[in-house]
Amino acid sequence: MKRIINEMKLRLIARGESEGLSRAIIAAFVAELNPTVEELLDLRCAVSEAVTNCVVHAYVDREVWEKEYIYISVRLYDNREVSVEIRDTGVGIADVALAREPRFSTGDNERGGMGFLVMESFCDSLSVKSKVGRGTRVLLRKKFKS
Amino acid sequence: MREGKIECGDDKLRLILPCEVDHHILGMMRHSLDKLLFEKKPSELLIDFSGVEMMDSSAIGLILGRLEICERIGASLKLIGVNDRARRLLELGGVMRFGGICVE
């Protein structure tokens, strides 16, 4: 059975600057597992996609800036696995299966709608749970090679 | 950390991407790039990936959006300095299959 060796919880305001900040913090946190440069870039890229979704899509209907948070929870396991949960309490996604399809985007055409596909490709597993009006939870898992 | 910048040559615009490319960083550069594209109407837009270390799918949106503008103003779009990692992401997004984009 795998055991947790460390855990971190972060709460950031859903603003653009949080994209780079969350990548940097998570990269520092997983450093003790000595991932390769490529593995680390994969994880940073997947995190960037999930956090961007919170920034761009989650809080479109709200105006209460102070409550627009992104909740990130990272766990390291002794089998060199890392799990990253990225959660918001925003508008939610009505049809998760549809949203996960490439090219789906509720934003303008400046966004490729490739976020979930990238998360899926750059991690070992991706789970997305969402409730309309309640928020979305994305769980990424990646195991670094030994 | 390398910053992004826009260089204007005669009849060419070159967007040099920063070492980290995400939705927020591109959002800050896009406005001035588009303004220059419409003002100068260059014959070629070069997007330079050579200094990119970390990039997410926001780059795909950037390319597709600029392709639209380039078609409108009659400019060609060229991607230069695309390394293996950037290529993998662009291929995932199907960018390589789009007509009108030249990858060097």
Side-chain angles (χ1 to χ4, degrees):
Chain A
M1 243 224 353
K2 64 185 180 189
R3 286 174 48 215
I4 296 173
I5 55 173
N6 209 351
E7 187 174 23
M8 170 176 76
K9 284 186 191 294
L10 268 177
R11 189 182 77 174
L12 296 170
I13 287 182
R15 58 199 283 264
E17 285 77 2
S18 298
E19 296 166 17
L21 185 60
S22 57
R23 287 197 301 268
I25 295 170
I26 291 172
F29 187 71
V30 304
E32 74 166 279
L33 295 181
N34 281 319
T36 64
V37 173
E38 285 296 306
E39 286 171 333
L40 194 55
L41 283 170
D42 284 352
L43 185 68
R44 287 169 67 200
C45 185
V47 166
S48 194
E49 301 289 352
V51 172
T52 299
N53 279 351
C54 300
V55 172
V56 176
H57 302 292
Y59 297 109
V60 282
D61 285 352
R62 282 223 211 144
E63 282 168 10
V64 191
W65 179 252
E66 292 79 13
K67 287 188 180 165
E68 297 180 350
Y69 289 124
I70 307 168
Y71 301 87
I72 302 174
S73 159
V74 192
R75 280 178 175 177
L76 303 185
Y77 296 91
D78 63 354
N79 66 344
R80 303 182 50 72
E81 189 181 304
V82 53
S83 73
V84 184
E85 186 198 69
I86 294 149
R87 192 168 57 81
D88 65 68
T89 55
V91 294
I93 304 167
D95 187 340
V96 171
L98 180 68
R100 285 181 66 157
E101 278 179 22
R103 299 257 168 267
F104 175 89
S105 184
T106 54
D108 54 47
N109 61 0
E110 285 295 324
R111 283 185 283 278
M114 306 301 292
F116 285 125
L117 182 69
V118 170
M119 290 180 232
E120 224 171 328
S121 312
F122 289 4
C123 289
D124 297 326
S125 81
L126 163 69
S127 132
V128 185
K129 285 183 180 155
S130 191
K131 265 194 182 145
V132 172
R134 298 285 296 277
T136 302
R137 171 189 167 274
V138 165
L139 182 65
L140 304 166
R141 284 182 190 281
K142 189 168 180 69
K143 194 171 174 179
F144 299 132
K145 303 223 162 40
S146 32
Chain B
M1 213 188 317
R2 176 168 148 173
E3 305 248 333
K5 60 178 174 187
I6 304 166
E7 284 177 358
C8 303
D10 35 309
D11 212 29
K12 274 186 190 180
L13 269 188
R14 179 195 288 252
L15 170 68
I16 301 171
L17 291 173
C19 74
E20 301 219 348
V21 172
D22 66 25
H23 143 269
H24 174 66
I25 292 164
L26 289 184
M28 295 190 293
M29 305 194 72
R30 215 169 55 193
H31 180 73
S32 23
L33 175 67
D34 289 356
K35 202 165 155 247
L36 281 168
L37 278 172
F38 284 118
E39 260 171 33
K40 300 204 178 281
K41 294 196 171 46
S43 67
E44 189 171 60
L45 169 65
L46 296 161
I47 303 182
D48 187 344
F49 286 80
S50 59
V52 175
E53 196 185 286
M54 202 292 326
M55 149 177 141
D56 69 14
S57 72
S58 60
I60 298 168
L62 173 88
I63 295 168
L64 299 184
R66 300 304 76 61
L67 180 63
E68 222 175 280
I69 296 175
C70 282
E71 279 169 354
R72 224 186 307 162
I73 62 169
S76 61
L77 176 58
K78 199 185 269 183
L79 313 182
I80 56 172
V82 180
N83 62 25
D84 287 349
R85 247 203 102 79
R87 185 174 290 271
R88 180 173 158 214
L89 194 91
L90 296 181
E91 276 172 358
L92 195 65
V95 170
M96 304 312 213
R97 292 195 304 271
F98 271 84
I101 300 176
C102 166
V103 184
E104 246 178 27

